[in-house]
Amino acid sequence: MRLKTNFKYIVFSIILLAAQFGFSQSKITGKVLDTDNTAIEGATIIVENQEHQKKGTTSGSDGAFNIKVKSSGTYNLKITFVGYETYSKELTIADNQHIELNEIILKEAAELLQSVEVIGRKRQDYNSDYSFSASKIAIKNKELPQAVTTVTKELISDRQAFQLVDAVKTVSNVSATGLYNHYNIRGITQADDGQVVNGMRTRQYYFLQPITSNLERVEVIKGPSSVTFSSADPGGTVNMVTKKPLDEKRSEVSVATGSYGTLRATVDFTGPLNESKTLLYRFNAAYQDADSFRDVVNNNAILISPSFSYVPDENTSLNVEMIYNNAEGNLDRGQPIFGAINGEYSINSTPITMNVGASNDHYKTKELTFMASFNKKFTENFGFNAQYMKQTWDEDLAEHRVGGSMVDIDGNVIPTLVRLRYDERQQFWETDNFSTYVTYDIKKDNITNKILVGYDATRWERKIGAGFLRARRYLTVSGGQSNFDASNPDNFQQMTINGVTTPVPAAAYFDLENPFNGARDTSDYSLSQLSIPANLNTSDGIYLQNQFKIGKLSALVNLRYEWFKDVFNYEGDEEEFKTSAFVPRIGLTYEINDKLSVYSTYLEGFQPHTNTVSLSPTAEGFFWAASPARFDPLESTLNEVGLKGEFLNGKVFANLAFFEINQKNILMGDTYDLDNLTTRGKQRSRGFEMDFSGYVLPNFQITASYGYTDAKIIEDAIEEFIGERIGGAPKHNANLWGRYDFTTETLKGIGLGFGAQYVDERYTWYNPTYATDRVLLPEYAICDAAVYYKPNNAGIQLTLKVNNLFNDTYWLGGLNPSRLGPGAPRNFLLNATYKF
């Protein structure tokens, strides 16, 4: 009985304490306005106590907010909204106290542009209002006389775009050419397989799909950008900008799972390392273990990327960072289809899951990149900047791929069989980049003059020891390998397949009607041993840039002189070739008013053929035989006019551009008759594009784009291609993505995302003279959708993303009939992100 009575007292005491705790809440109220006394809806209000416990809300349509706190103490109140300066205030709160802050005025943000990017971007929306890569130094996009489209980390996160190809699909006139990190931009298919990171060139094969978790943004700089990047593709350059440290503490952990056995995890920590906030850090890491809808294809990767910034004062800054990327999986060479029947190919003759690879194939790459940047401002007008990058990249490949159609003993093609080719390949690359420049600013009344003089140096080396073992073509009776000669069938070993006599392939064959993807015994293959000669490539450039502004008119003028050296069979029987080029740019911008500006620009570009040897069909024969640097480099020009707009206090950006790109000196002739190739090839692309992004409502953010190109082959070694569309170039493409967050009390914390992409029909793009068949891939329109759930004040967000919502069958692109790149069927991804 006594125990029962004591129990009652205990229960009563707990209830009493709970009631007291519940009723001893304090509250903070106020109203958020701009400088015009207009209510700001959707501003984020956070209060944090000394134990780092946070509580938050958003302002309503009238700008009002109300936050309740359960305990007394000292709190820090912070109010943020895109395009405005952060408001902070320290509050001391007693029990049951009501603090009325009345009207809080947020001022428009005027973000200080850094001359070198050593501190991260604080905006947290779909826009970045400046770029470093297009002109070496920071320049506001609305003042840049060139189209630059930015994909920010916020857009990447909302779309769950874990790899680069998923991130750039929202950009106008950018379309994937297949399954790799390779694009057609403004109608011109990329020929350079290197990547640009923080404005500096790396060197690795385009098969890689870079992970985006360490990226602050991805910039697509339209047109040839040789004036800043040296060798550059005519259509445009994709620049990956890594996350930099912030001077405020932010932490984020994310885990995800989804279709095809996908498991992912990422972390992102940043903040100051000392009280004075002169030493900052950032640490990013990512892990992926994923299979694919494609047979025997997987993609596993680990990324680790620490970064440190030292900013002792406003005139000095230093940043160092490292990227370690280790990937292991299979190299997906694409979907093969039946050989042409009556001259026609059927892309539906095989399932989109089909892959000729074997389960014991592998593709392993290891990349290590170190970067450092330094900035010193000696006076208000004079500054010095320097950057350095060191990259090593190793490749280890074992793969089965289509080598060609199987033929019978009379030389007739068997449409349902393909001859396999087997390669074991290893390569080792090392790249160094150095860039330094000085700046001098002149300001007088309404005239500004920013002068830049600099020097760039790039050195990449394919190191000694690269080589491969290969089995391809057919076996001769003497044990050699050769293309089949139907006039001399007795010179070839023979076998019988389904009652049909055929020559024996050096590797194996693949039956498209009865596929086999198990482990293949390669010990019986007739392997040829081939070395890949070492190659040294150096490029040096000096350049002058002047950005001046008189009133509303500004101009950007550049002149670059580049000298280039290629040493084939480096440290062996060397062949050395040299070339040089002057590269100009002139652009004008006129500010019509505070919101609109009109611009025009003329650009030139160049690409030494050594940088296109992996992707240019006609340069294929040079890979291990000689240096294509003996030919004049590819040359290109851009004429562009456009209109740029910035609306709703910088929350919305828009761009409209009209352009024409011409490129010449494309190699022509028999791919393997190296002595008879000429540089007479020409291509031309003209069109227009529109990009729009930003907050159209405080709780509704959108990005949309449309592009049109008329991309023509002007001169080509394959006569039937002349006047036809450039391979990989759709005439139309359009993209849309939007996120809407509910603000009503019943649905608060829930958001919806929806996206759509349309890509017009386009041809496969890889056509050396010995394989001229092109496949016209059909147009496609696919939709994606997402649901977000963010419990109030919890710091966590759950995202369910559905890709290819209506389960359409489509093809991203393709190289040729044996290497099509199908898109994935409907698939799901569930992500949980916790910020603290």
Side-chain angles (χ1 to χ4, degrees):
M1 184 71 180
R2 185 177 180 182
L3 181 62
K4 187 175 182 180
T5 303
N6 289 339
F7 179 74
K8 287 181 178 180
Y9 280 128
I10 293 171
V11 172
F12 178 76
S13 299
I14 292 173
I15 294 173
L16 185 63
L17 287 171
Q20 183 179 359
F21 180 77
F23 285 111
S24 65
Q25 288 188 340
S26 301
K27 67 177 180 179
I28 307 165
T29 58
K31 182 177 290 188
V32 185
L33 307 175
D34 63 16
T35 53
D36 296 325
N37 287 321
T38 301
I40 297 178
E41 180 183 4
T44 301
I45 300 96
I46 300 289
V47 290
E48 181 179 1
N49 63 16
Q50 293 177 324
E51 285 73 40
H52 303 294
Q53 296 172 330
K54 295 180 180 180
K55 194 169 185 181
T57 187
T58 56
S59 56
S61 58
D62 59 351
F65 66 89
N66 183 334
I67 295 183
K68 295 180 180 180
V69 294
K70 294 183 177 180
S71 58
S72 60
T74 301
Y75 287 80
N76 182 53
L77 173 83
K78 184 180 291 186
I79 302 176
T80 59
F81 192 65
V82 174
Y84 293 86
E85 293 181 359
T86 298
Y87 173 89
S88 295
K89 185 178 181 66
E90 187 176 280
L91 303 173
T92 300
I93 302 175
D95 290 337
N96 299 314
Q97 183 181 9
H98 176 200
I99 296 181
E100 174 57 60
L101 297 176
N102 298 313
E103 295 179 349
I104 299 171
I105 307 298
L106 296 189
K107 298 179 181 179
E108 294 183 11
E111 189 166 13
L112 180 65
L113 295 185
Q114 310 165 70
S115 54
V116 174
E117 194 163 14
V118 297
I119 299 177
R121 163 183 164 272
K122 292 187 177 181
R123 288 187 69 145
Q124 298 185 58
D125 62 341
Y126 289 177
N127 288 321
S128 179
D129 51 6
Y130 60 88
S131 171
F132 288 83
S133 55
S135 61
K136 291 288 186 181
I137 58 175
I139 181 172
K140 290 187 175 181
N141 286 331
K142 68 177 183 179
E143 297 178 358
L144 180 67
Q146 190 176 354
V148 176
T149 303
T150 301
V151 183
T152 66
K153 66 179 184 297
E154 288 76 21
L155 178 55
I156 290 172
S157 175
D158 281 354
R159 295 189 57 254
Q160 293 294 300
F162 194 71
Q163 294 180 320
L164 186 64
V165 68
D166 297 319
V168 299
K169 68 187 295 185
T170 59
V171 179
S172 64
N173 275 327
V174 175
S175 56
T177 62
L179 300 172
Y180 312 130
N181 180 33
H182 185 238
Y183 311 98
N184 181 281
I185 304 177
R186 283 188 167 180
I188 305 294
T189 297
Q190 289 180 312
D192 196 324
D193 65 4
Q195 299 174 356
V196 177
V197 179
N198 295 332
M200 309 197 86
R201 185 167 298 279
T202 66
R203 189 73 188 181
Q204 68 256 31
Y205 274 4
Y206 76 129
F207 303 125
L208 294 173
Q209 282 292 358
I211 294 174
T212 60
S213 62
N214 69 320
L215 299 183
E216 176 65 43
R217 63 186 182 274
V218 178
E219 299 174 332
V220 181
I221 300 98
K222 304 293 184 66
S225 297
S226 292
V227 73
T228 48
F229 296 132
S230 182
S231 174
D233 282 297
T237 299
V238 178
N239 180 41
M240 295 177 286
V241 182
T242 57
K243 293 176 181 176
K244 301 297 189 293
L246 295 171
D247 59 4
E248 60 184 52
K249 181 180 180 296
R250 292 185 188 176
S251 302
E252 181 178 313
V253 177
S254 177
V255 292
T257 185
S259 303
Y260 317 122
T262 299
L263 292 170
R264 294 172 182 164
T266 66
V267 296
D268 182 3
F269 302 139
T270 187
L273 289 173
N274 57 5
E275 291 186 5
S276 60
K277 297 186 177 182
T278 57
L279 184 60
L280 315 174
Y281 86 99
R282 193 150 194 167
F283 179 79
N284 279 272
Y287 172 79
Q288 173 176 272
D289 189 327
D291 293 328
S292 168
F293 74 99
R294 305 264 301 136
D295 296 335
V296 293
V297 170
N298 57 71
N299 186 357
N300 306 323
I302 297 175
L303 180 142
I304 300 172
S305 182
S307 176
F308 298 92
S309 290
Y310 177 59
V311 189
D313 55 58
E314 62 181 9
N315 297 317
T316 308
S317 58
L318 171 69
N319 173 259
V320 294
E321 62 181 299
M322 185 189 78
I323 302 173
Y324 172 77
N325 199 337
N326 194 324
E328 182 173 346
N330 304 82
L331 180 51
D332 188 352
R333 292 287 185 173
Q335 171 200 0
I337 57 176
F338 284 8
I341 299 175
N342 298 324
E344 297 292 331
Y345 288 95
S346 172
I347 60 175
N348 295 306
S349 59
T350 61
I352 61 172
T353 58
M354 180 171 287
N355 171 33
V356 302
S359 60
N360 54 333
D361 290 350
H362 68 257
Y363 186 53
K364 302 175 183 178
T365 62
K366 183 173 69 175
E367 175 192 11
L368 186 63
T369 304
F370 171 83
M371 289 171 282
S373 60
F374 174 75
N375 165 246
K376 178 67 177 178
K377 196 171 184 179
F378 294 101
T379 69
E380 184 179 352
N381 300 325
F382 179 64
F384 169 80
N385 301 270
Q387 292 175 276
Y388 173 72
M389 171 190 282
K390 176 79 169 186
Q391 182 218 22
T392 62
W393 182 72
D394 299 341
E395 174 196 58
D396 180 6
L397 168 71
E399 67 161 344
H400 290 83
R401 57 185 289 192
V402 174
S405 298
M406 279 288 289
V407 297
D408 63 21
I409 203 64
D410 297 319
N412 301 310
V413 171
I414 306 173
T416 59
L417 299 181
V418 295
R419 171 176 48 83
L420 293 181
R421 159 181 158 183
Y422 178 73
D423 284 311
E424 294 179 6
R425 184 177 70 210
Q426 290 188 327
Q427 292 192 88
F428 315 96
W429 295 75
E430 188 174 297
T431 305
D432 293 274
N433 286 262
F434 176 72
S435 176
T436 185
Y437 55 87
V438 293
T439 58
Y440 188 75
D441 298 343
I442 302 172
K443 299 178 182 179
K444 186 177 181 181
D445 298 327
N446 67 337
I447 299 174
T448 60
N449 203 358
K450 298 181 179 180
I451 300 170
L452 183 150
V453 180
Y455 166 75
D456 290 345
T458 301
R459 178 189 187 277
W460 62 258
E461 179 184 352
R462 184 172 61 204
K463 300 180 75 67
I464 292 174
F468 52 90
L469 301 174
R470 168 174 291 176
R472 63 184 303 185
R473 301 189 174 93
Y474 294 97
L475 292 178
T476 63
V477 292
S478 61
Q481 301 180 34
S482 175
N483 290 326
F484 182 67
D485 181 3
S487 66
N488 188 16
D490 292 337
N491 188 44
F492 294 85
Q493 299 180 37
Q494 299 179 16
M495 62 187 297
T496 300
I497 306 174
N498 299 328
V500 178
T501 302
T502 71
V504 176
Y509 69 89
F510 190 88
D511 189 339
L512 298 175
E513 293 181 317
N514 186 25
F516 172 75
N517 294 106
R520 292 185 181 273
D521 182 5
T522 61
S523 61
D524 292 334
Y525 290 178
S526 177
L527 296 174
S528 299
Q529 180 175 309
L530 299 164
S531 64
I532 303 175
N535 208 141
L536 175 66
N537 183 289
T538 63
S539 184
D540 299 83
I542 54 175
Y543 49 90
L544 172 67
Q545 176 177 291
N546 190 6
Q547 181 194 0
F548 61 89
K549 186 175 183 179
I550 304 175
K552 294 185 176 183
L553 179 67
S554 60
L556 184 63
V557 180
N558 298 72
L559 182 63
R560 182 186 187 98
Y561 177 68
E562 190 87 10
W563 61 100
F564 173 90
K565 181 175 72 173
D566 184 73
V567 182
F568 183 78
N569 202 4
Y570 180 54
E571 296 185 349
D573 187 12
E574 295 184 351
E575 297 179 38
E576 182 177 303
F577 301 92
K578 296 180 179 181
T579 189
S580 61
F582 279 101
V583 186
R585 167 170 66 183
I586 181 168
L588 299 174
T589 303
Y590 181 76
E591 296 181 18
I592 300 172
N593 53 43
D594 291 341
K595 296 180 174 61
L596 289 173
S597 60
V598 63
Y599 72 91
S600 65
T601 194
Y602 173 78
L603 273 173
E604 292 185 5
F606 80 101
Q607 283 177 288
H609 286 288
T610 305
N611 289 347
T612 71
V613 71
S614 302
L615 294 177
S616 175
T618 311
E620 179 184 294
F622 286 100
F623 189 75
W624 57 81
S627 170
R630 65 188 67 190
F631 298 102
D632 291 336
L634 285 167
E635 296 179 8
S636 56
T637 60
L638 166 70
N639 290 284
E640 181 177 330
V641 295
L643 186 70
K644 295 187 178 185
E646 183 177 309
F647 311 100
L648 300 179
N649 193 43
K651 293 189 286 292
V652 171
F653 288 83
N655 185 83
L656 171 66
F658 298 84
F659 61 87
E660 178 173 305
I661 300 171
N662 288 276
Q663 69 167 333
K664 64 178 183 178
N665 292 348
I666 301 170
L667 287 176
M668 289 176 53
D670 186 337
T671 307
Y672 290 98
D673 188 0
L674 306 184
D675 294 329
N676 292 317
L677 292 176
T678 61
T679 53
R680 292 188 296 108
K682 294 181 181 179
Q683 295 179 345
R684 186 267 300 152
S685 180
R686 58 169 66 110
F688 67 93
E689 62 197 18
M690 299 177 287
D691 291 272
F692 176 94
S693 62
Y695 274 106
V696 292
L697 293 172
N699 59 331
F700 183 32
Q701 193 168 192
I702 191 173
T703 180
S705 68
Y706 169 76
Y708 167 83
T709 60
D710 178 23
K712 298 288 186 183
I713 298 171
I714 307 301
E715 290 188 31
D716 198 275
I718 305 171
E719 291 188 9
E720 59 264 35
F721 285 1
I722 297 175
E724 295 293 320
R725 286 190 66 77
I726 296 171
K731 183 174 287 188
H732 304 274
N733 80 345
N735 301 277
L736 171 71
W737 178 265
R739 173 172 176 167
Y740 181 85
D741 291 296
F742 293 97
T743 57
T744 60
E745 197 63 35
T746 54
L747 295 176
K748 198 168 187 178
I750 297 176
L752 297 177
F754 180 79
Q757 182 186 33
Y758 170 78
V759 177
D760 204 356
E761 62 183 14
R762 62 258 171 257
Y763 286 103
T764 52
W765 64 273
Y766 196 86
N767 290 105
T769 50
Y770 62 82
T772 61
D773 288 350
R774 300 206 297 180
V775 177
L776 183 63
L777 300 173
E779 64 181 0
Y780 66 86
I782 56 170
C783 297
D784 303 330
V787 178
Y788 311 98
Y789 177 56
K790 191 174 184 179
N792 195 24
N793 308 323
I796 192 169
Q797 176 176 281
L798 301 178
T799 303
L800 176 63
K801 173 83 182 296
V802 184
N803 296 305
N804 194 359
L805 185 63
F806 301 110
N807 202 28
D808 294 304
T809 299
Y810 68 102
W811 285 262
L812 295 164
L815 280 79
N816 53 44
S818 65
R819 296 181 64 182
L820 303 185
R826 183 191 297 122
N827 60 93
F828 303 85
L829 189 70
L830 178 63
N831 175 274
T833 299
Y834 179 56
K835 296 182 180 181
F836 55 98

